[in-house]
Amino acid sequence: MNTSKPTGNPSRNSAPQGPAHAQLDLEHFLPYRLSVLSNRVSSAIAGVYSERFALSITEWRVMAVLGRYPDLSANEVAQRTAMDKVAVSRAVARLVEAGRLVREMHDDDRRRSVLSLSEDGYRIYDEVAPLALDFERRLLGGISEAERQVLFNLLDRLDELELQAEAAAAGG
């Protein structure tokens, strides 16, 4: 019986040797943390409306924005949600085809179309919105009102700072 130890390269399973690489500690990298949290929360809420109404996350976001701000163009919806214009356009097309959105020409600018929820769209919105609010209430249930205010103030401030950073990156 051979009792000798393997003679393979012991560093084969460890990090490659050579020049040091930049280290990105994802657990402390804000964009990563926000993205993961957003994806988890969105997926959890999606369980409420995806099975019952066959809506994707993007479709619900479009409906949620138009439920709050009717008569927006698809580009305005994309801006408000910071979602990809192509993804919004596809979601809008599916929602129009399903009869959940109505596309009409803008009164002042006949070249511009605006979107609004149809009667069926509002029926779905009126069912899903309270469920989403209930989910948020349960999610934030362990946070005091003062902590919630701090959280939302910090999110508003981060939003401002992100816009400034984006403008600075575009300008320089």
Side-chain angles (χ1 to χ4, degrees):
M1 178 176 357
N2 184 354
T3 58
S4 63
K5 293 185 179 181
T7 58
N9 183 350
S11 66
R12 185 170 50 191
N13 293 329
S14 62
Q17 300 300 310
H21 296 282
Q23 296 294 312
L24 182 58
D25 181 3
L26 291 177
E27 290 74 21
H28 294 98
F29 184 58
L30 182 64
Y32 177 80
R33 298 276 311 266
L34 291 174
S35 177
V36 169
L37 180 60
S38 174
N39 289 341
R40 287 187 12 225
V41 170
S42 292
S43 293
I45 294 173
V48 169
Y49 54 76
S50 65
E51 287 184 34
R52 189 187 258 171
F53 300 107
L55 285 171
S56 71
I57 290 172
T58 305
E59 290 166 344
W60 168 245
R61 286 182 183 168
V62 168
M63 289 183 68
V65 168
L66 291 171
R68 176 71 172 95
Y69 305 102
D71 299 328
L72 296 178
S73 69
N75 281 340
E76 290 169 323
V77 171
Q79 289 171 350
R80 283 193 179 270
T81 59
M83 291 189 301
D84 178 67
K85 288 180 184 180
V86 173
V88 169
S89 179
R90 288 180 182 148
V92 164
R94 287 189 302 267
L95 291 166
V96 167
E97 185 177 326
R100 294 170 173 177
L101 291 186
V102 176
R103 185 189 317 260
E104 297 176 338
M105 299 311 292
H106 190 273
D107 290 338
D108 297 333
D109 183 354
R110 303 298 298 167
R111 296 168 295 173
R112 181 174 171 255
S113 65
V114 292
L115 303 164
S116 59
L117 295 178
S118 67
E119 190 174 315
D120 187 45
Y122 271 113
R123 183 186 59 76
I124 293 168
Y125 177 85
D126 289 341
E127 283 189 53
V128 176
L131 298 172
L133 290 169
D134 185 57
F135 181 87
E136 180 191 44
R137 183 187 53 73
R138 284 184 278 121
L139 177 69
L140 298 176
I143 299 176
S144 72
E145 188 58 40
E147 289 172 319
R148 289 179 201 186
Q149 190 61 51
V150 169
L151 171 64
F152 284 100
N153 288 343
L154 286 170
L155 289 172
D156 289 342
R157 183 69 177 127
L158 279 172
D159 195 33
E160 291 172 17
L161 292 171
E162 188 282 327
L163 292 173
Q164 291 173 12
E166 189 177 329

